[in-house]
Amino acid sequence: MSEQTQNQTKKFFLGNMLAMAATVIWAGNFIAAKILANAYSGLEMSYWRWLIAMIFAFPFAMKHMKQDIPYIFKEWKLMLFYGGIGCFFSNLLLYNAPHTAPAVDMTILMATSPLLMMFLSWIFFKEKINPFWIMGSIIALIGVCVLLTKGNFKIFQEVNFTVGHFWTLGCSFFFALYSISLRLFKEKINIWVFLETTFIIAFMTNFSSCLIFNQALPVIHSLKDFGAVLYIGIFSSLVAYICWNKAIELIGAVRTGIIYYLVPVFGSFFAVILINETIGIFQLIGGTMVLGGVLICTCFKNH
């Protein structure tokens, strides 16, 4: 095996592992958001998320900031998009959705992100899509539906679409757009500086929104809420975005997006561990289909 082949294999393996780490963290994000949804609005949850992420990222970004600031200003339009739309707005939609949309519906709709990444990459960047990727994605998406509905597809006949469903679809679309557009940022800068800048933009946009809508700044009500807020600020934002962005750099947005199908699988696992839910035959079938679909996508290269 040549050195070039070895390096490509390492990049492929590391990229997939980082993408998987991000999905594990985001699976827990749904649980944290559900804990906070009863006491906080979407704007309040988003406020704490980006404030905490901004604070914790700053010490790591500080030493690289001076040399990378010129490139940030050079690409200021993209940075406004990444921070304002990719981080703040997409997550604000997600945090508002639980007030009117069931968690099952939200998770299924968010699972459309990988397909949207394929479609948007094809539209905007003329990226060729391997047919096996489409087949694997469809299998994984069906597996997500089986997993979350426990095989009871009559649920889909009883769905009453609310504004929360559309907010979730909006989040899925903007998250896909954020992921594929990372390739537009041509400058090689430190990832901590990049993320700190997007977090600052997300927080300032959130803070401005609070002022515009005359909403009081949020207050933490309990230790449980504080733990959930720390989770979405440190792990769902800082750690997960580092893993996700680095994975996209290594293996591309489409391949990274495919791993996102594993979010409901990990979410179901957490539900069993944390809230003592049981696993039935349909959850096993659905989870197996998701894993099979991801493997089909992962094992076939794009030519």
Side-chain angles (χ1 to χ4, degrees):
M1 184 182 293
S2 67
E3 184 177 348
Q4 183 179 1
T5 304
Q6 288 180 333
N7 290 334
Q8 288 178 343
T9 302
K10 289 179 181 177
K11 285 176 61 177
F12 179 78
F13 178 78
L14 180 59
N16 279 279
M17 290 299 101
L18 288 171
M20 194 173 297
T23 61
V24 171
I25 294 169
W26 282 329
N29 186 47
F30 281 96
I31 296 176
K34 203 66 181 175
I35 292 171
L36 297 170
N38 294 326
Y40 302 90
S41 68
L43 203 58
E44 289 174 324
M45 283 188 274
S46 182
Y47 174 90
W48 284 115
R49 176 174 188 169
W50 303 121
L51 175 62
I52 291 172
M54 180 179 68
I55 291 171
F56 277 84
F58 180 74
F60 300 99
M62 183 172 58
K63 60 182 178 181
H64 305 282
M65 194 74 75
K66 184 177 180 180
Q67 67 185 39
D68 289 339
I69 279 292
Y71 303 117
I72 295 296
F73 280 107
K74 181 181 177 182
E75 300 283 3
W76 66 271
K77 292 180 181 178
L78 275 175
M79 294 307 302
L80 285 177
F81 171 79
Y82 296 142
I85 303 298
C87 290
F88 166 70
F89 187 65
S90 64
N91 283 281
L92 179 64
L93 293 175
L94 182 65
Y95 287 147
N96 274 306
H99 296 289
T100 53
V104 170
D105 297 8
M106 285 176 58
T107 310
I108 290 174
L109 290 174
M110 279 302 299
T112 62
S113 271
L115 281 172
L116 285 172
M117 288 180 203
M118 288 187 200
F119 179 71
L120 293 173
S121 293
W122 175 66
I123 291 293
F124 292 115
F125 300 108
K126 310 301 179 185
E127 183 169 343
K128 294 181 180 179
I129 305 300
N130 192 308
F132 285 101
W133 290 4
I134 298 175
M135 181 179 70
S137 291
I138 292 173
I139 291 172
L141 187 57
I142 294 173
V144 169
C145 294
V146 173
L147 173 69
L148 296 174
T149 63
K150 301 177 182 179
N152 181 19
F153 289 109
K154 290 182 179 179
I155 289 176
F156 293 110
Q157 298 175 356
E158 302 168 358
V159 171
N160 294 316
F161 278 93
T162 66
V163 68
H165 290 83
F166 292 104
W167 278 336
T168 307
L169 277 174
C171 175
S172 178
F173 173 79
F174 286 118
F175 176 67
L177 197 60
Y178 168 87
S179 296
I180 69 160
S181 67
L182 287 173
R183 71 176 69 184
L184 295 174
F185 196 92
K186 302 298 184 182
E187 305 294 347
K188 292 291 183 182
I189 69 171
N190 183 269
I191 191 170
W192 289 104
V193 176
F194 178 86
L195 289 176
E196 174 67 6
T197 307
T198 59
F199 294 158
I200 290 173
I201 293 170
F203 174 74
M204 293 306 298
T205 308
N206 200 113
F207 183 76
S208 301
S209 300
C210 289
L211 296 179
I212 292 170
F213 292 104
N214 197 28
Q215 182 167 332
L217 298 182
V219 177
I220 301 296
H221 302 302
S222 68
L223 190 61
K224 182 179 181 181
D225 291 348
F226 182 67
V229 162
L230 282 181
Y231 184 89
I232 64 174
I234 297 174
F235 293 99
S236 295
S237 302
L238 189 58
V239 179
Y241 272 90
I242 287 175
C243 294
W244 188 257
N245 289 13
K246 190 63 179 178
I248 289 173
E249 180 184 328
L250 292 172
I251 60 176
V254 175
R255 280 191 175 278
T256 303
I258 286 163
I259 308 297
Y260 191 80
Y261 284 120
L262 294 174
V263 168
V265 177
F266 291 127
S268 298
F269 174 76
F270 289 152
V272 172
I273 299 297
L274 299 176
I275 56 179
N276 298 319
E277 284 194 7
T278 58
I279 294 181
I281 185 65
F282 283 106
Q283 285 103 316
L284 291 174
I285 293 172
T288 302
M289 290 179 68
V290 173
L291 291 172
V294 170
L295 284 174
I296 289 172
C297 294
T298 303
C299 291
F300 288 93
K301 295 182 178 180
N302 195 12
H303 297 288

